[in-house]
Amino acid sequence: MTDSVQAMATRYFRQRENPFLAELVRAARSGRQPGEDLSAEDAAEALHLVPDVRQDLDRAEVTLIESVLDRGWTWEQLGAEYGDRSKQAMQQHYRRRGGNRSWPGKERPPRTGSPHRLGDEDLNPADVAKVREAISALLATAHDVAETHTVDGKWTAGEPILEEISAVGLDPLPRLEVACRTAAKAIEDMVVAGWERRDPGREQRRRRSWTVRLDDEMRDMAAWLDREPQGRPLPRDDRPLTVGTTTAEHADHIEIAAEDVEQVRESISLALARLEAHRAAFDQVIEELKRHQAGLP
């Protein structure tokens, strides 16, 4: 024990036998003795002083803990010294005593060239700008959707924010879906491009695996199916098509208005081209597996 701490402890223990506190303890232990002036009401009133004393002790303890940490000790060191506590237990003890400060952990060297993390040098500023723009559009769309929802639960139309809105319509929920997909796609493109800058040829090597290629195709198809039908006059089942005065579904056929025929034809062509592209990827994998099968003894 240092001289300064020894002197502080000596002063404390010399004053520790406080007559007032001793009298309170005796009264609490033995009850009121004959001839004593301390009544139950007096003891109850004095009891109200105890929380103040406890607060003073807590403040003193917090101050000492902070003083130790300010001088370079860690929570682990302090906990081991003060009650053999763990780091978490020592922190909880400090918080329970009313402490609210925090101390930065030991400085760690910055990550450089981590194989599992992209750095600023790996990202194309143009890709980062697209992500920022897409996220800004998403936030604006979400705010606009919230603003256009009326109290009675009906949605009202707003001005389009993204170019794709024209293909989906002005209903707020599809607009929000488009904004979410756009932001997710921008982030994915930025990350893929970043890894390619870090490791040229990485994407090509990754797609050598047929499982990776099929997974990419299936995710792409699912995303397309999720958004493609919205706003496009595309037949959904195998009922016969007839040209009439209005575009509507009937029990045994689908009627296409004469003015919508060209648009329906274009939508079918686009869907066929997309499906053919996906089928080509699946056919390629089938042929690859057949070659492996044929090469086995």
Side-chain angles (χ1 to χ4, degrees), residues 172-211:
L173 289 180
R175 292 174 58 204
L176 191 57
E177 290 181 33
V178 169
C180 288
R181 285 197 302 267
T182 302
K185 183 66 165 55
I187 294 172
E188 182 180 6
D189 290 345
M190 179 186 69
V191 171
V192 170
W195 282 115
E196 190 66 21
R197 286 163 64 91
R198 162 81 69 85
D199 181 15
R202 180 178 185 271
E203 183 66 12
Q204 183 178 2
R205 293 192 301 272
R206 188 185 75 89
R207 288 185 61 83
R208 289 176 183 171
S209 168
W210 64 267
T211 57

Side-chain angles (χ1 to χ4, degrees), residues 73-91:
W73 278 36
T74 65
W75 285 108
E76 291 88 349
Q77 289 175 299
L78 181 57
E81 176 72 19
Y82 189 43
D84 195 22
R85 296 179 172 93
S86 66
K87 170 185 175 180
Q88 290 76 14
M90 190 66 233
Q91 289 174 332

Side-chain angles (χ1 to χ4, degrees), residues 30-104:
S30 59
R32 183 181 178 184
Q33 298 298 321
E36 289 187 351
D37 295 332
L38 185 67
S39 66
E41 289 75 13
D42 293 334
E45 288 295 329
L47 191 62
H48 288 292
L49 301 176
V50 174
D52 293 333
V53 176
R54 183 175 292 113
Q55 289 179 8
D56 289 339
L57 291 174
D58 287 346
R59 281 195 292 269
E61 187 175 7
V62 165
T63 299
L64 289 172
I65 290 174
E66 292 173 348
S67 177
V68 171
L69 294 172
D70 284 342
R71 285 162 173 77
W73 278 36
T74 65
W75 285 108
E76 291 88 349
Q77 289 175 299
L78 181 57
E81 176 72 19
Y82 189 43
D84 195 22
R85 296 179 172 93
S86 66
K87 170 185 175 180
Q88 290 76 14
M90 190 66 233
Q91 289 174 332
Q92 292 170 0
H93 178 82
Y94 170 71
R95 300 298 178 195
R96 284 196 296 268
R97 294 299 183 273
N100 55 17
R101 288 179 54 189
S102 60
W103 287 261

Side-chain angles (χ1 to χ4, degrees), residues 6 21 58 62 124 147 159 169 202 224 243 247 266 292:
Q6 180 68 48
L21 294 178
D58 287 346
V62 165
N124 187 333
E147 289 295 319
E159 293 298 324
R202 180 178 185 271
W224 170 68
V243 177
T247 297
E266 180 184 1
H292 289 313

Side-chain angles (χ1 to χ4, degrees), residues 1-284:
M1 184 178 297
T2 64
D3 292 341
S4 59
V5 175
Q6 180 68 48
M8 183 172 60
T10 300
R11 289 195 302 272
Y12 169 73
F13 282 105
R14 282 177 180 173
Q15 302 172 9
R16 190 171 186 178
E17 187 62 29
N18 186 292
F20 172 71
L21 294 178
E23 187 176 354
L24 289 181
V25 171
R26 283 197 301 271
R29 287 178 175 173
S30 59
R32 183 181 178 184
Q33 298 298 321
E36 289 187 351
D37 295 332
L38 185 67
S39 66
E41 289 75 13
D42 293 334
E45 288 295 329
L47 191 62
H48 288 292
L49 301 176
V50 174
D52 293 333
V53 176
R54 183 175 292 113
Q55 289 179 8
D56 289 339
L57 291 174
D58 287 346
R59 281 195 292 269
E61 187 175 7
V62 165
T63 299
L64 289 172
I65 290 174
E66 292 173 348
S67 177
V68 171
L69 294 172
D70 284 342
R71 285 162 173 77
W73 278 36
T74 65
W75 285 108
E76 291 88 349
Q77 289 175 299
L78 181 57
E81 176 72 19
Y82 189 43
D84 195 22
R85 296 179 172 93
S86 66
K87 170 185 175 180
Q88 290 76 14
M90 190 66 233
Q91 289 174 332
Q92 292 170 0
H93 178 82
Y94 170 71
R95 300 298 178 195
R96 284 196 296 268
R97 294 299 183 273
N100 55 17
R101 288 179 54 189
S102 60
W103 287 261
K106 293 182 178 179
E107 293 186 3
R108 299 178 180 177
R111 294 172 179 253
T112 56
S114 171
H116 307 295
R117 186 186 295 266
L118 290 174
D120 292 340
E121 67 279 2
D122 300 312
L123 301 179
N124 187 333
D127 293 335
V128 175
K130 290 179 181 178
V131 169
R132 185 178 293 111
E133 180 182 357
I135 292 177
S136 298
L138 171 58
L139 294 175
T141 303
H143 179 269
D144 188 63
V145 166
E147 289 295 319
T148 55
H149 186 262
T150 59
V151 177
D152 60 1
K154 295 181 180 179
W155 296 97
T156 60
E159 293 298 324
I161 296 179
L162 302 174
E163 293 182 2
E164 294 180 67
I165 296 300
S166 59
V168 191
L170 295 178
D171 186 70
L173 289 180
R175 292 174 58 204
L176 191 57
E177 290 181 33
V178 169
C180 288
R181 285 197 302 267
T182 302
K185 183 66 165 55
I187 294 172
E188 182 180 6
D189 290 345
M190 179 186 69
V191 171
V192 170
W195 282 115
E196 190 66 21
R197 286 163 64 91
R198 162 81 69 85
D199 181 15
R202 180 178 185 271
E203 183 66 12
Q204 183 178 2
R205 293 192 301 272
R206 188 185 75 89
R207 288 185 61 83
R208 289 176 183 171
S209 168
W210 64 267
T211 57
V212 168
R213 296 199 304 273
L214 288 187
D215 183 62
D216 288 348
E217 291 296 324
M218 288 186 290
R219 288 192 295 111
D220 186 56
M221 180 182 289
W224 170 68
L225 287 174
D226 182 49
R227 67 176 182 269
E228 183 64 19
Q230 301 180 31
R232 290 185 179 275
L234 190 65
R236 301 294 183 266
D237 56 43
D238 201 21
R239 282 174 287 177
L241 299 182
T242 61
V243 177
T245 58
T246 184
T247 297
E249 295 188 6
H250 302 279
D252 57 347
H253 71 283
I254 299 175
E255 181 181 0
I256 306 297
E259 62 270 19
D260 293 337
V261 169
E262 189 58 36
Q263 190 176 8
V264 171
R265 181 179 288 111
E266 180 184 1
S267 296
I268 292 175
S269 297
L270 291 174
L272 285 173
R274 190 63 175 262
L275 292 174
E276 290 288 350
H278 287 301
R279 185 170 70 175
F282 279 80
D283 288 344
Q284 183 183 38

